[in-house]
Amino acid sequence: MNKLAQLAIKIRNRFQKPEMHIPRQTVSYEKAKNIGILFLAEEKEAQKAINKFVVDLQKEGKNLQMLTFIEKITNNPYYFSYHTITNNDVSNLGKINSLDVEHFINTRFDYLYCIVAEPFPLYDGIMQKSQAKCRIGRYFDGQEENYELMISLDKEAGIEQFIEEMMVFMRGLKAT
């Protein structure tokens, strides 16, 4: 993604106000059926962890929708189907032009997981607009309003450790 688009996305996210109040609620993990996964993994170890995570959720009978950003299309390292955001979907002013992204944002997931190793402004806007009941992600300073649950880890912790810690919390969630 070019530098102008990255800057525009950061500015959009900072000044973006929700058009309406989106009701958030926690569903017990056992009852949660519709799960969204927004992920970004460039290292092979992270890709393996995401593959395992998706397989585990599928074995539990969860309905999954996945979305990822791909800078350039190479060999597919994943064992599941997913939608993509590419550079062609993002304008120089940081606007995402994709029906898949629009559908993802408007889906009322029980849980929406954002799996990234470091902040990714393109995903911040998606998380802000999401209709998900409960948004879960890694703790990054200044992003608290984008999530109902954030997992704080050392900077060195990878995606595999993040997924493990997240699932400990998620499996312990009871409905409120």
Side-chain angles (χ1 to χ4, degrees), residues 4-6 8-9 12 90-96 122:
L4 179 60
Q6 290 176 14
I9 290 167
R12 277 179 179 270
V90 183
S91 76
N92 285 336
L93 297 177
K95 184 168 175 22
I96 303 172
L122 185 68

Coordinates of all heavy atoms in Angstrom, one line a residue, residues 4-6 8-9 12 90-96 122:
L4 N 0.8 7.5 0.7 CA -0.3 8.4 0.8 C -1.6 7.7 1.3 O -2.3 8.3 2.2 CB -0.5 9.0 -0.6 CG -1.7 10.0 -0.7 CD1 -1.5 11.2 0.2 CD2 -1.9 10.5 -2.2
A5 N -1.8 6.5 0.8 CA -3.0 5.8 1.3 C -2.9 5.5 2.8 O -3.8 5.6 3.5 CB -3.2 4.5 0.5
Q6 N -1.7 5.1 3.2 CA -1.5 4.8 4.6 C -1.7 6.0 5.5 O -2.4 5.9 6.6 CB 0.0 4.3 4.9 CG 0.2 2.9 4.3 CD 1.7 2.5 4.4 OE1 2.4 3.1 5.2 NE2 2.1 1.5 3.7
A8 N -3.6 8.6 4.7 CA -5.0 8.9 4.6 C -5.9 8.0 5.5 O -6.8 8.5 6.1 CB -5.5 8.8 3.1
I9 N -5.5 6.8 5.6 CA -6.2 5.8 6.4 C -6.1 6.2 7.9 O -7.1 6.2 8.6 CB -5.7 4.4 6.2 CG1 -6.2 3.9 4.8 CG2 -6.2 3.4 7.3 CD1 -5.5 2.6 4.4
R12 N -8.3 9.2 8.4 CA -9.7 8.8 8.4 C -10.1 8.1 9.7 O -11.2 8.4 10.3 CB -10.0 7.8 7.3 CG -10.2 8.3 6.0 CD -10.4 7.2 5.0 NE -10.7 7.7 3.7 CZ -11.9 7.9 3.2 NH1 -13.0 7.7 3.9 NH2 -12.1 8.4 2.0
V90 N -7.9 -0.3 -2.3 CA -7.7 0.9 -1.5 C -7.2 2.1 -2.3 O -6.2 2.0 -3.0 CB -6.6 0.6 -0.4 CG1 -6.4 1.8 0.5 CG2 -6.9 -0.7 0.4
S91 N -8.0 3.1 -2.3 CA -7.7 4.3 -3.0 C -6.5 5.1 -2.4 O -6.1 4.8 -1.3 CB -8.9 5.3 -3.1 OG -9.1 5.9 -1.9
N92 N -6.0 6.1 -3.1 CA -4.9 6.9 -2.6 C -5.4 7.7 -1.4 O -4.6 8.2 -0.6 CB -4.4 7.8 -3.7 CG -3.5 7.1 -4.7 OD1 -2.9 6.0 -4.3 ND2 -3.4 7.6 -5.9
L93 N -6.7 7.9 -1.3 CA -7.2 8.6 -0.1 C -7.6 7.7 1.0 O -8.3 8.1 2.0 CB -8.4 9.5 -0.6 CG -8.0 10.6 -1.6 CD1 -9.3 11.3 -2.0 CD2 -7.0 11.5 -1.0
G94 N -7.3 6.4 0.9 CA -7.5 5.5 2.0 C -8.9 4.9 2.0 O -9.2 4.2 3.0
K95 N -9.7 5.1 1.0 CA -11.0 4.5 1.0 C -11.0 3.1 0.5 O -10.4 2.8 -0.6 CB -12.0 5.4 0.2 CG -13.4 4.9 0.1 CD -14.3 6.0 -0.5 CE -15.7 5.6 -0.6 NZ -16.3 4.6 0.1
I96 N -11.7 2.2 1.1 CA -11.7 0.8 0.7 C -12.9 0.6 -0.2 O -14.0 0.9 0.2 CB -11.8 -0.2 1.9 CG1 -10.6 0.0 2.8 CG2 -11.8 -1.6 1.4 CD1 -10.7 -0.8 4.1
L122 N -5.3 0.0 8.4 CA -6.4 -0.4 7.5 C -7.4 -1.2 8.3 O -8.6 -1.1 8.1 CB -5.9 -1.2 6.3 CG -6.9 -1.6 5.3 CD1 -7.4 -0.4 4.5 CD2 -6.2 -2.6 4.3

